[in-house]
C-alpha cells in the first residue's frame, strides 16, 4: 500500500500522463507528423515507467523489507523477478 506522500506523487504523475494522452489524441486528430506522434508516445511510455518505478520502490521499501526482517523474504523473490521482467519490456 502506498503511503500518503507516495500516493500523492503517483496521482500527480498520472494526472500529467492523462494530459499527455489527451495531447496525443489531439495530435492524431489534427493529423500531426508521425515522428512527432511517436515522440509523444515515447514520452508517455517513460512517464508510465516512472509511475511503475515509484510503486516498485515503495513495495521494496515496505512489503519486501518488512517480510525480510521477519525472515519471510524468500516469497518475494519470484514475485520480484516477474514484475521486473514485465517492467523491463
Amino acid at each position: 500500500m502506498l503511503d500518503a506522500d507516495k500516493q500523492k506523487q503517483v496521482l500527480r504523475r498520472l494526472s500529467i500522463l492523462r494530459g499527455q494522452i489527451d495531447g496525443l489524441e489531439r495530435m492524431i486528430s489534427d493529423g500531426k507528423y508521425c515522428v512527432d506522434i511517436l515522440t509523444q508516445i515515447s514520452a508517455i511510455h517513460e512517464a508510465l515507467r516512472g509511475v511503475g518505478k515509484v510503486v516498485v520502490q515503495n513495495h521494496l521499501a515496505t512489503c519486501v523489507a518488512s517480510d525480510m526482517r521477519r525472515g519471510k523474504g524468500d516469497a518475494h523473490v519470484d514475485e520480484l523477478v516477474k514484475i521486473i521482467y514485465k517492467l523491463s519490456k
Side-chain angles (χ1 to χ4, degrees), residues 51-65:
V51 171
K53 181 180 175 182
V54 170
V55 175
V56 167
Q57 286 174 331
N58 182 78
H59 182 62
L60 289 171
T62 58
C63 300
V64 175

Side-chain angles (χ1 to χ4, degrees), residues 21-33 37:
I21 291 170
D22 290 345
L24 176 61
E25 187 176 11
R26 282 190 303 277
M27 290 174 76
I28 292 170
S29 293
D30 294 345
K32 296 293 183 182
Y33 186 57
I37 291 170

